[in-house]
Amino acid sequence: MNNLIKRALTGVIFVAVMLGAICFHPILFLVIFTLITALSLWEFYGLMDHYENTTIQRVISSIGGAYLFIGTFMFANGLADRNIFLPYLLFLMYTLIAELYHKAPNPINNWAFTLLAQVYCAGTFSMLNFITSIPNTPGEIVFTPLYALAIFVFIWLNDTGAYLVGSRIGKRRLFERISPKKSWEGFFGGLVVVLAASQVFAWYAPGISRYNWLGLSFSIVLFGTWGDLIESLLKRTLGVKDSGKLLPGHGGMLDRFDSVMMAIPASYIYIELFIRN
């Protein structure tokens, strides 16, 4: 019971913080998601301690990824030109050059895991800035939270629907080798819930067709499920149960954002191809 209360309280606070960051003000969005990016990188690099002969510079690498999020926010909102990314380019160069002097037992591991996290964590979160900004408005922040809100709400609803359906009638394993508890029944249960919710968004945002809301929601569920499985594969490979302990009852940052980190680039592709164009 104590664990259930802890989990519920953490979930309520988590949802409130996320909704506030997305809907309240773009600067709050910038602050919260910069912090999320840095913490996710810090956690990822900490997980790599479970992998032999890996020594990653956690502080500078986490700061580097956080800078990428800030830089893309500035660039996407027309507050800076492409030179904003030059310090990040220097960071990537430093990551490669530094291994010449660290005398690590396996510099390839250090390179590989450092750069993987920059793509997996910092790169995916940074795409949110291109989803929430309106292009061609130089020098002015024109923030549109609708798509970011949809991504998170659809992921949450998918998790809830998949759990409720899968726990009751789930029999056919979705990906037993990696996640034995997930079922096809749960997948389709979550999908149906999200497809229905997409039509509520269509009612509130009639400027986007119902068909595009269906397509976007399907993309989020599909790639969000893959994102969940990717993190499960990561943890199974490293032999850990949770990615961290930062969120009581929920595990770590990667445990909470695993689905989102694949849903964001999928959403960006769909929005650019079928909605904005």
Side-chain angles (χ1 to χ4, degrees):
M1 181 60 70
N2 288 336
N3 187 61
L4 181 62
I5 294 173
K6 184 189 300 182
R7 183 178 176 85
L9 182 60
T10 302
V12 169
I13 295 173
F14 174 79
V15 170
V17 170
M18 297 308 300
L19 292 179
I22 294 170
C23 300
F24 183 69
H25 195 278
I27 299 302
L28 182 61
F29 171 85
L30 172 63
V31 171
I32 293 296
F33 275 94
T34 299
L35 181 61
I36 289 172
T37 301
L39 290 174
S40 297
L41 286 163
W42 180 265
E43 187 175 274
F44 183 96
Y45 293 133
L47 280 176
M48 293 307 110
D49 289 340
H50 294 271
Y51 202 85
E52 61 182 12
N53 295 327
T54 301
T55 54
I56 295 174
Q57 299 182 71
R58 292 177 74 183
V59 173
I60 192 168
S61 297
S62 298
I63 292 174
Y67 180 85
L68 178 63
F69 188 88
I70 296 171
T72 53
F73 179 89
M74 301 288 288
F75 180 77
N77 286 285
L79 303 176
D81 60 20
R82 60 188 180 184
N83 287 337
I84 192 73
F85 297 109
L86 294 181
Y88 186 73
L89 180 60
L90 286 173
F91 156 71
L92 296 178
M93 295 165 63
Y94 165 80
T95 298
L96 297 174
I97 295 170
E99 292 301 325
L100 294 172
Y101 301 95
H102 289 156
K103 299 179 182 178
N106 194 333
I108 295 177
N109 277 359
N110 296 344
W111 285 329
F113 291 133
T114 299
L115 298 179
L116 170 61
Q118 294 299 311
V119 175
Y120 180 53
C121 301
T124 52
F125 281 127
S126 294
M127 288 184 198
L128 271 177
N129 291 311
F130 296 102
I131 291 175
T132 57
S133 66
I134 296 295
N136 302 318
T137 56
E140 180 183 5
I141 299 177
V142 182
F143 189 79
T144 57
L146 179 63
Y147 296 127
L149 180 64
I151 291 170
F152 283 91
V153 170
F154 289 165
I155 288 293
W156 296 336
L157 290 176
N158 179 57
D159 288 344
T160 303
Y163 173 76
L164 293 176
V165 174
S167 62
R168 289 180 178 272
I169 63 172
K171 294 181 180 179
R172 298 170 181 83
R173 299 301 98 186
L174 178 66
F175 220 117
E176 190 168 10
R177 178 174 62 88
I178 295 174
S179 186
K181 293 183 180 180
K182 284 185 170 53
S183 66
W184 280 106
E185 291 85 355
F187 171 79
F188 285 111
L191 177 61
V192 169
V193 171
V194 173
L195 291 177
S198 73
Q199 297 310 289
V200 177
F201 273 79
W203 187 77
Y204 278 103
I208 304 167
S209 74
R210 292 184 177 274
Y211 298 107
N212 269 330
W213 276 114
L214 287 171
L216 179 61
S217 63
F218 177 79
S219 299
I220 290 171
V221 170
L222 178 62
F223 284 89
T225 301
W226 276 328
D228 193 322
L229 291 169
I230 287 169
E231 202 241 355
S232 295
L233 177 60
L234 173 67
K235 292 189 295 185
R236 185 171 289 270
T237 302
L238 296 173
V240 297
K241 181 180 178 181
D242 295 321
S243 64
K245 299 179 181 179
L246 186 61
L247 303 172
H250 290 262
M253 299 297 288
L254 299 180
D255 293 319
R256 288 299 87 206
F257 291 100
D258 52 1
S259 299
V260 172
M261 288 191 290
M262 285 295 101
I264 289 172
S267 299
Y268 177 66
I269 292 170
Y270 189 93
I271 290 166
E272 289 298 316
L273 289 180
F274 299 106
I275 298 180
R276 287 178 174 165
N277 290 325

